[in-house]
Amino acid sequence: MSSKILETKNLSKYFLDPIKFKVLKEINMSIDHGEFVSIVGKSGCGKSTLLYLLSTMDTSYEGQLYLNNKLITGKSDTELAQIRNEQIGFVFQFHYLLNEYNVLKNVMLPGMKLGKYSEEEIEHHAMEHLRTLDMQEQALKMPNQLSGGQKQRVAIARALINKPLIIMGDEPTGNLDKKNSDMVFDIFQQLTQDLKQTLLIVTHDPDFAEKTNRIITMQDGKII
C-alpha cells in the first residue's frame, strides 16, 4: 500500500481575466503520510492558488489530483464537500472562528456537520484536542475573549476534530508575532511526531519553512 496521502499529475491552472494566463504549470508533486511539508515562494508565484486546488475548493484546472490514492478530479461538488469535511483540516492566516459560539462549540462544528459521531463523542474529542493544545481552560470562553495565538490554537483543534488525512495551512502564522509563530510551529511538529499527522503549509516565513521536513519552492507557477 502506497503511503502517499496527496499526489498531483500535470496540474495546471489558467486565469481568464483580463486575458488567458497560465498561473500554474504542470505541477507534479506528492506528500507522504506523516510528512510536514512547507510551500514557499515570492508573492504571486502561485502558492495559495495551488493550495486551493489541492484542497478541492477550486476545481477548474487541468491534470489530476489524488487524495489517499483515489482520483478526486471530476467528482461532484457534494462529493468534494464530503471529502473536504472528512479528510482535510484547514488552518488559515485568519482563524475564522464564529463569534456567536464558544471555543468548544467552534471546535465541534465540523464534527457536527460530518455527523459520524454522537454530540457527546464529538464534545469529548474536542476537549481532548483543546487539552493537547493547552486550551481546555478556555473552552467556554467566546472567541473575542482570546488572544491571537489562542484563537489560532482553537483553529488547529477545529482542523483536527474529524481526524483528517492531511491538514493544510495558508500562512497560519502570518498574523502572529514570533513567540506565537514558534508556538504554532511546535504544535504542528508535535502533531506530526505524536499523531503522525500529515501537514502541508504555505508560508512566507523562512524560519518556519526551514524547520519543516521538506520545502517545496515555487517560482512563476512552477515547482523549482
Side-chain angles (χ1 to χ4, degrees), residues 102-140:
N102 66 22
V103 162
L104 180 60
K105 192 73 187 238
N106 263 286
V107 175
M108 289 172 65
L109 283 170
M112 308 279 284
K113 191 176 167 196
L114 187 61
K116 219 177 180 181
Y117 302 99
S118 70
E119 190 165 344
E120 291 74 23
E121 286 175 297
I122 295 165
E123 186 172 323
H124 174 71
H125 291 152
M127 279 308 295
E128 278 188 334
H129 290 311
L130 287 171
R131 207 167 283 117
T132 302
L133 299 170
D134 199 23
M135 285 295 291
Q136 71 275 20
E137 303 290 321
Q138 322 295 331
L140 299 180

Side-chain angles (χ1 to χ4, degrees), residues 48 56 89 94 124 129 131 153 160 171 181 191 199 204 208:
S48 292
T56 79
F94 303 102
H124 174 71
H129 290 311
R131 207 167 283 117
R153 274 188 273 173
L160 287 164
E171 301 283 358
S181 295
L191 293 176
L199 294 158
H204 265 113
F208 184 102

Side-chain angles (χ1 to χ4, degrees), residues 6 22 25 51 79 86 99:
L6 187 73
K22 196 170 191 178
K25 302 160 187 171
L51 198 72
E79 288 172 303
E86 198 165 356
N99 287 322

Side-chain angles (χ1 to χ4, degrees), residues 55 57 84-85 88-92 155-156 158-159 166-169:
S55 70
M57 286 199 266
R84 270 198 301 278
N85 200 20
I88 305 174
F90 296 100
V91 185
F92 299 99
I156 294 168
R158 180 183 58 191
I166 186 167
I167 288 181
M168 297 185 184

